Amino acid sequence: MSVERETLTYPLFGEAVRDLAQQVVDSGYEPDLVLAIARGGLGLAMGLGYALDVKNLSAVNVEFYTGIDQRLAVPIMLPPTPAAIDLSGLKVLIADDVSDSGRTLEHVRAFTADHVADARIAVIYEKPQTIVNADYVWRRTDRWIDFPWSVDGPIVDRRGGLAH
């Protein structure tokens, strides 16, 4: 039995970025910084930075998923992390590709909570089981998502040589 999939193409990704940026503008929120959750949120953060004319971008690298439907017990923030003083008093827009379980977003929101003036979350996709509902969502789905940057898999397997 095949699993129903949601397919995000690069052209749809461009539409998603613009739509999310418009949602942010329409809400009246003016972020000082866009904080990407690497790796999935990097492209979205860059696009939102351009669309919202925010040049202050940063990233946090959170490891949680180790494979398809395989996770660590808890999300782990990998160094380097933005210094808390760099976030002090800022309005931050946290960007990620998907809020699946929501545990990664919860971890990053908690990391920023005591330091920022306000933090809001933008995601391309939100799943029904998430524990964190984003402020800005392009689409909601319960399907497996094929992202254009990961659908073909890596060219190199860093643990064992060439992947293809």
Side-chain angles (χ1 to χ4, degrees):
M1 179 188 323
S2 67
V3 176
E4 277 195 63
R5 294 177 178 260
E6 176 84 23
T7 300
L8 182 69
T9 62
Y10 278 114
L12 279 175
F13 172 68
E15 289 179 30
V17 169
R18 296 299 289 191
D19 182 74
L20 286 165
Q22 191 64 57
Q23 288 181 45
V24 173
V25 168
D26 291 347
S27 75
Y29 191 61
E30 295 181 15
D32 301 304
L33 174 121
V34 180
L35 181 63
I37 298 178
R39 292 181 301 188
L42 289 169
L44 177 59
M46 178 194 64
L48 289 171
Y50 273 98
L52 298 171
D53 197 24
V54 176
K55 292 185 179 186
N56 194 3
L57 302 178
S58 190
V60 290
N61 194 353
V62 180
E63 185 172 14
F64 187 39
Y65 286 88
T66 58
I68 295 175
D69 212 23
Q70 297 174 344
R71 318 175 169 82
L72 299 172
V74 295
I76 299 171
M77 194 168 297
L78 303 174
T81 57
I85 194 72
D86 293 341
L87 302 175
S88 182
L90 298 180
K91 292 187 289 182
V92 176
L93 182 61
I94 300 167
D96 204 1
D97 55 354
V98 61
S99 181
D100 190 340
S101 70
R103 293 183 61 202
T104 298
L105 285 165
E106 178 183 51
H107 191 69
V108 173
R109 186 169 60 185
F111 169 77
T112 63
D114 293 336
H115 308 289
V116 302
D118 187 18
R120 297 191 188 177
I121 298 169
V123 296
I124 301 169
Y125 288 101
E126 186 174 85
K127 301 263 185 119
Q129 70 271 12
T130 186
I131 60 171
V132 173
N133 293 108
D135 301 281
Y136 312 103
V137 178
W138 183 62
R139 288 202 177 150
R140 290 175 174 83
T141 187
D142 60 356
R143 296 177 177 178
W144 180 261
I145 304 160
D146 287 330
F147 290 99
W149 47 83
S150 61
V151 71
D152 291 329
I155 295 171
V156 174
D157 178 352
R158 299 272 178 216
R159 294 166 290 217
L162 293 177
H164 289 113

